[in-house]
Amino acid sequence: MVFRSFERRLEDLVTGAVGRLFGGGLRPVELGHRIIRSMNDSRSVGVKGQTVVANEFDVEVSVDDHDRFAEIRDSLIRELCDAAREHARDEGWRFMGPVQVSLEASENLRVGQINVTARMKEGDGANGVLHLADGQQVVLGAYRLTLGRLATCTVSFDDTNVSREHAEIRPDGNGYVLIDMASTNGTSVNGELVTQRRLVDGDRIALGASTQFEFRAG
């Protein structure tokens, strides 16, 4: 399912004027498949028994392929990060820190070849962004953030399924913790009801049944 969604987005990315660049050589979707394969190979068991996978990926391609990706490089890296997050979420895997992808040229590789180095790495400090459904981005900092229906909340939602003061997000060491504030309809992360949860990159948060948004670290 993740492969299908990722491939569809990559097809949209390389259509039109940019599509002329991809008549031969390495296809962008192949990079996504290799990153996901690297995640599968990196699986380990965390201290709480959960499956932890690599979150940093150094991707090397040939000089010619790297030049062909130049026009869509930033968009391609964003899509590769999203593919990693989606695959981890679907498999129930966890990251130690934010997902990061680098794309570099190597003179040692021929056209069509890929080299991926994957590693697990903790975040360097507390930072994160909430990506709301309307496209708004809320940058988290060293302060408590409240979520609810009240206008006095840091982030307020016009949704009767959301309690007046529904949940809060607090900085905690190198990351953030989501806490449900005894809401009526509950708070969930990746479909699981929670009272308190340390957030990791790519977590999907739902307040009640209809208000949803995503946490991105880094």
Side-chain angles (χ1 to χ4, degrees), residues 160-178:
T160 55
N161 288 309
V162 174
S163 295
R164 291 159 60 85
E165 291 186 333
H166 195 108
E168 66 178 20
I169 297 176
R170 294 180 177 178
D172 178 55
N174 289 332
Y176 293 91
V177 173
L178 172 70

Side-chain angles (χ1 to χ4, degrees), residues 21-124:
L21 301 173
F22 298 95
L26 185 64
R27 301 287 297 183
V29 71
E30 296 176 63
L31 301 178
H33 291 171
R34 284 293 300 274
I35 284 177
I36 290 174
R37 189 189 312 166
S38 296
M39 292 172 62
N40 294 342
D41 294 340
S42 73
R43 285 174 294 178
S44 182
V45 179
V47 294
K48 296 183 179 179
Q50 75 276 35
T51 299
V52 181
V53 294
N55 58 295
E56 286 201 354
F57 307 92
D58 296 333
V59 180
E60 292 182 322
V61 298
S62 71
V63 173
D64 287 344
D65 283 326
H66 188 269
D67 289 345
R68 289 165 59 248
F69 292 144
E71 290 186 35
I72 61 168
R73 185 177 184 277
D74 291 344
S75 297
L76 176 57
I77 287 175
R78 285 195 298 270
E79 291 291 351
L80 293 173
C81 289
D82 283 346
R85 294 185 185 101
E86 291 172 15
H87 187 60
R89 186 161 50 238
D90 285 354
E91 296 294 332
W93 298 342
R94 308 282 284 179
F95 296 121
M96 294 178 64
V99 176
Q100 296 183 350
V101 174
S102 67
L103 181 62
E104 304 296 337
S106 172
E107 295 182 353
N108 297 322
L109 297 178
R110 298 190 302 272
V111 171
Q113 291 185 321
I114 311 169
N115 182 49
V116 177
T117 302
R119 68 180 68 87
M120 300 179 192
K121 185 177 179 182
E122 293 183 340
D124 294 328

